Amino acid sequence: MRALVVGDTGGIGAALAARLRAQNVSVVGLSRQRDGFDVTDPAQAEAVLDALDGPFDLIFVATGALVNTRVAPEKALRELSAEEMAAQFAVNTIGPALVLKQASRLLARRERGVFAALSARVGSIGDNRAGGWYSYRASKAALNQVIRTGAIELARSHKQAVCVALHPGTVATDFTANYPAHKKVGAEDAASNLLGVCDGLTPNQSGGFFDYAGLEVPW
Ligand SMILES: NC(=O)c1ccc[n+]([C@@H]2O[C@H](COP(=O)([O-])OP(=O)(O)OC[C@H]3O[C@@H](n4cnc5c(N)ncnc54)[C@H](OP(=O)(O)O)[C@@H]3O)[C@@H](O)[C@H]2O)c1
């Protein structure tokens, strides 16, 4: 089995890569800091992706950012800026979309292949009760739409494909470092949960949005 972990230097990405390697999966990692895979430079990011050879049984996109130009997500509309919103879309929506663009070439075609991207429950429109976090929420909602749309296209050529958005839970990584009061799971447990979900999903669940327990999250 071969896996591609995009963002394997992040908290969850590193744990995913480690767990897969422990299961004797051959893992190719892609990282901004190590490989120059910076999605804010799309031409460079696409060149790095073009150099990859498939097939992969699992492509897991674990990149993302809570904020780019701010110290914390917006609490109110008056805090919105075009700059932050565009930066969030670049990292959280366009970045995974550029990886998905290569899925038909890189994902196993005849056997079951899984494309998973880390979204977030706060990207759910139906589940939005608390408000705030405009740029992050919107960038993840847009990612969910990209995944759903890509799943429909991928199913035409890859009958066994599973293409999903996943919510990892609240995980203790740099990402959540500013939220000490929140209850979190360790990255290793999150990786184990997420890979278990990937193992259990079937092609007829492709295009869905699932949490770390395999439960569907409302759009
Ligand atoms: N942690 C949570 O509680 C939680 C909850 C819900 C959703 N999520 C989602 O899970 C994903 C991973 O979160 P995490 O906790 O593992 O965060 P993390 O430890 O901060 O890791 C973020 C990853 O994204 C990469 N990245 C950031 N900006 C990038 C860019 N411009 N180009 C390419 N790569 C970039 C980082 O690369 P470098 O290593 O080069 O910085 C790193 O690999 C994110 O999409 C996040 O929205 C996390």
Side-chain angles (χ1 to χ4, degrees), residues 84-138:
E84 172 66 8
M85 201 165 215
Q88 284 290 78
F89 270 75
V91 176
N92 291 336
T93 313
I94 299 170
L98 293 179
V99 184
L100 183 60
K101 184 180 167 186
Q102 305 262 355
S104 68
R105 180 178 76 81
L106 292 176
L107 203 63
R109 192 178 288 262
R110 288 190 190 83
E111 310 81 46
R112 180 176 177 276
V114 177
F115 185 102
L118 286 181
S119 182
R121 185 179 291 278
V122 298
S124 164
I125 295 170
D127 195 49
N128 185 355
R129 287 174 187 87
W133 292 31
Y134 288 90
S135 299
Y136 182 69
R137 282 186 191 276

Side-chain angles (χ1 to χ4, degrees), residues 7-13 31-34 37-40 62-66 91-92 118-121 136 140 167-176:
D8 70 325
T9 42
I12 299 172
S31 138
R32 170 173 62 173
Q33 39 178 291
R34 194 191 53 235
F37 178 77
D38 187 340
V39 299
T40 62
T63 52
L66 187 59
V91 176
N92 291 336
L118 286 181
S119 182
R121 185 179 291 278
Y136 182 69
K140 290 295 191 182
H167 168 62
T170 304
V171 187
T173 65
D174 290 351
F175 195 93
T176 51

Side-chain angles (χ1 to χ4, degrees), residues 100 145-159 161-164 203 206-208:
L100 183 60
Q145 181 67 285
V146 168
I147 292 293
R148 174 74 171 202
T149 308
I152 291 167
E153 183 176 334
L154 206 52
R156 297 183 187 129
S157 55
H158 294 61
K159 304 287 179 216
V162 173
C163 176
V164 286
S206 192

